[in-house]
Amino acid sequence: MPGEISPAGKPSGLGTHPELRASHADRDRTADILRVAAGDGRLTSDELDQRLEVALSARTVRELAELTADLPSISLSGDGVVAEAKDVLRIEQKWSAVKREGRWVVPRRLELDLEWCSVTLDLTQAVITRGTLEIDIDMRGKNLTLIVGPGMVVDTDALMLEHSRVKNRAQAPAGPTTLHVSLTGEKRFGRVLVRGPRKSLRRDR
């Protein structure tokens, strides 16, 4: 079955001929597995960055298999998208940055228990399987940044603020809502920023 992952965390077919040259599809599948593992809290953001760098430059399937050997089995659909999202994802952390970007899998509920950690949640390329996302926050210090795409709405009315503030720079959806994000809990110090993706600057040569 295309995209099936073995119990050792390897995409099926990769372990049979480990010295075979890796294809673009092999690298992309491995990158998806690593992002899902980071979304589950199994890899830190630094570990994710390091493994993604190796995955995208890997020459053989052996190199790719080694990157996921310590991760659990993950079921992917044929196009490399995770078939089922995690219901609840809890992240507890102190003094380091938390970042979710690219094709990470959005759970139904995200619980953030953080002290002096900057947080960036980029939803623009995320795998979204539900129409709602509840983010329950117990966060002290630093900033929480939500990057949203077209059709995404962020509701902060239920969020309690202490020496903190919310800035919502995202544009209101012109069409139907694709994802409704609600922020609950308490944010102490720092700020919450909601914005769209930054526009790339192009220079004519």
Side-chain angles (χ1 to χ4, degrees):
M1 181 177 180
E4 195 69 26
I5 305 303
S6 71
K10 305 180 185 71
S12 62
L14 291 193
T16 307
H17 303 286
E19 298 309 325
L20 283 178
R21 290 281 179 161
S23 68
H24 291 310
D26 293 332
R27 297 185 189 96
D28 289 343
R29 274 196 299 272
T30 301
D32 283 335
I33 295 168
L34 295 173
R35 291 188 182 105
V36 172
D40 286 344
R42 300 181 190 278
L43 297 176
T44 67
S45 57
D46 287 342
E47 289 174 325
L48 175 62
D49 290 341
Q50 292 169 2
R51 295 196 189 195
L52 282 176
E53 184 176 353
V54 175
L56 296 177
S57 61
R59 294 184 177 181
T60 67
V61 295
R62 181 190 294 276
E63 295 174 75
L64 295 176
E66 289 173 352
L67 295 173
T68 58
D70 59 347
L71 301 176
S73 173
I74 299 173
S75 178
L76 302 183
S77 64
D79 58 0
V81 176
V82 175
E84 185 176 354
K86 195 175 183 70
D87 189 54
V88 179
L89 173 61
R90 182 172 179 82
I91 301 175
E92 298 182 37
Q93 203 157 298
K94 295 182 180 180
W95 304 103
S96 59
V98 174
K99 184 178 289 188
R100 297 291 182 268
E101 58 185 0
R103 295 178 66 194
W104 67 287
V105 184
V106 177
R108 175 189 62 81
R109 177 181 171 88
L110 180 60
E111 298 177 353
L112 301 177
D113 184 358
L114 307 169
E115 290 189 31
W116 304 105
C117 300
S118 62
V119 181
T120 302
L121 302 176
D122 189 342
L123 298 168
T124 56
Q125 298 180 40
V127 179
I128 298 171
T129 60
R130 297 180 176 91
T132 61
L133 167 62
E134 181 182 350
I135 304 178
D136 185 63
I137 301 170
D138 184 1
M139 184 174 174
R140 178 183 177 88
K142 297 289 187 176
N143 298 332
L144 167 62
T145 302
L146 289 176
I147 305 174
V148 298
M152 298 182 184
V153 175
V154 179
D155 180 4
T156 61
D157 291 344
L159 182 63
M160 297 178 60
L161 301 173
E162 180 181 342
H163 302 293
S164 183
R165 59 177 179 164
V166 174
K167 278 192 173 183
N168 193 338
R169 297 176 179 170
Q171 295 182 349
T177 300
T178 58
L179 179 67
H180 185 275
V181 182
S182 60
L183 299 184
T184 61
E186 186 174 1
K187 177 73 175 76
R188 302 179 296 280
F189 305 99
R191 66 175 181 171
V192 176
L193 173 63
V194 182
R195 65 171 178 83
R198 300 190 188 281
K199 296 180 178 180
S200 60
L201 299 177
R202 294 183 178 180
R203 296 180 180 179
D204 295 331
R205 295 183 178 180

